[in-house]
Amino acid sequence: MKTILVVDDEPNIVELAKLYLQQEGYRVEGVGNGNDALSKLSSIKPSLIVLDLMLPDIDGFEVCREIRKKSDVPILMLTARKEDVDKIVGLELGADDYLTKPFNPRELVARVKAILRRSKAGFKPGEAIEVGNLRIDPARREAAIDRQPLKLRTKEFDLLATLAQNQGVVLTREQLLEMVWGTDFYGETRTVDIHINHLRDKITGSDASIETVRGIGYKMI
């Protein structure tokens, strides 16, 4: 049974999420602040975290940042504001998707299921790929520059491997979303741009580069 950790200081939100997620067969743990969320992370090892941005002790951004230092567990962020900046910052910190309050609990369930499907599917391994001094091994999920390992998040690795397997080919943002995140991803193409920026920083010093093809997408050369 997969465990979902719901982090929100509004008890009615936690109870609503519990009700609908438990009906789908998930085990649900709820906490009302960021410190309790970080404590629960190691003790219950959740399959996914539903994380509110506005918490009474430390905000959801900081909780997400701390989680990503230790774990690649999928994170669905909840935000009461519709401002794009909140969504973008959340994605940059490593959140997998976001949902704006107030929300339909059925949509929450649908997004949780979609994220878990993508997480389970992951990148389909193939043979190791070399782009100059950059080596990517999909089967081992390892990437290195001159044999120095790169520290990549799950989707960063999948995106890098996808671009490398299609060297020289221009892939649109929509294609990358489908190939890396899956057809049931609820986010926007901005997600691709954010991950590309992270990858460019991390492969600095390699012989590979990711070029922007204006108005279309990206390619690795």
Side-chain angles (χ1 to χ4, degrees):
M1 183 181 293
K2 293 183 183 298
T3 299
I4 310 297
L5 176 60
V6 179
V7 187
D8 199 303
D9 63 332
E10 297 182 60
N12 61 315
I13 295 289
V14 175
E15 290 307 312
L16 187 66
K18 272 188 177 182
L19 175 64
Y20 278 80
L21 289 168
Q22 285 174 344
Q23 286 176 351
E24 297 297 323
Y26 298 110
R27 175 173 173 259
V28 183
E29 293 275 345
V31 296
N33 62 68
N35 283 310
D36 286 349
L38 295 174
S39 297
K40 284 278 189 183
L41 183 64
S42 56
S43 63
I44 68 171
K45 293 182 171 41
S47 300
L48 181 143
I49 298 173
V50 178
L51 176 62
D52 186 32
L53 281 184
M54 305 298 289
L55 296 171
D57 51 356
I58 51 178
D59 66 30
F61 292 133
E62 185 59 29
V63 175
C64 183
R65 187 180 289 110
E66 290 300 313
I67 290 171
R68 282 292 171 257
K69 291 178 182 177
K70 312 171 187 177
S71 171
D72 273 333
V73 60
I75 297 173
L76 171 61
M77 276 195 161
L78 301 179
T79 172
R81 295 179 293 186
K82 295 183 179 180
E83 295 175 16
D84 285 342
V85 66
D86 285 346
K87 301 169 184 176
I88 292 169
V89 171
L91 292 169
E92 286 179 336
L93 291 175
D96 295 82
D97 203 352
Y98 53 81
L99 187 58
T100 303
K101 293 180 177 180
F103 57 83
N104 185 323
R106 290 187 177 85
E107 183 178 0
L108 172 69
V109 172
R111 290 189 183 230
V112 165
K113 287 182 174 180
I115 293 170
L116 289 173
R117 278 197 301 271
R118 295 196 301 269
S119 177
K120 183 178 178 181
F123 180 78
K124 294 175 176 57
E127 295 182 358
I129 313 153
E130 293 188 357
V131 186
N133 61 348
L134 171 65
R135 189 175 193 275
I136 304 159
D137 188 336
R140 294 177 179 271
R141 296 194 66 83
E142 295 174 350
I145 298 173
D146 289 328
R147 299 187 180 181
Q148 296 298 311
L150 294 177
K151 189 175 181 181
L152 301 174
R153 292 172 178 158
T154 302
K155 290 306 177 188
E156 289 173 351
F157 180 89
D158 293 347
L159 181 57
L160 180 66
T162 298
L163 288 166
Q165 283 191 332
N166 294 276
Q167 256 180 90
V169 177
V170 180
L171 298 173
T172 67
R173 291 171 175 83
E174 289 77 13
Q175 285 176 316
L176 288 169
L177 274 178
E178 182 171 344
M179 296 165 77
V180 177
W181 280 267
T183 54
D184 52 9
F185 180 62
Y186 287 89
E188 303 168 353
T189 54
R190 174 66 176 160
T191 302
V192 175
D193 299 334
I194 291 167
H195 281 74
I196 290 289
N197 288 338
H198 288 174
L199 279 180
R200 282 174 169 158
D201 289 339
K202 292 185 178 182
I203 65 172
T204 299
S206 75
D207 297 327
S209 65
I210 302 171
E211 284 195 352
T212 300
V213 180
R214 191 175 296 278
I216 302 176
Y218 300 98
K219 67 177 178 179
M220 176 175 281
I221 60 171

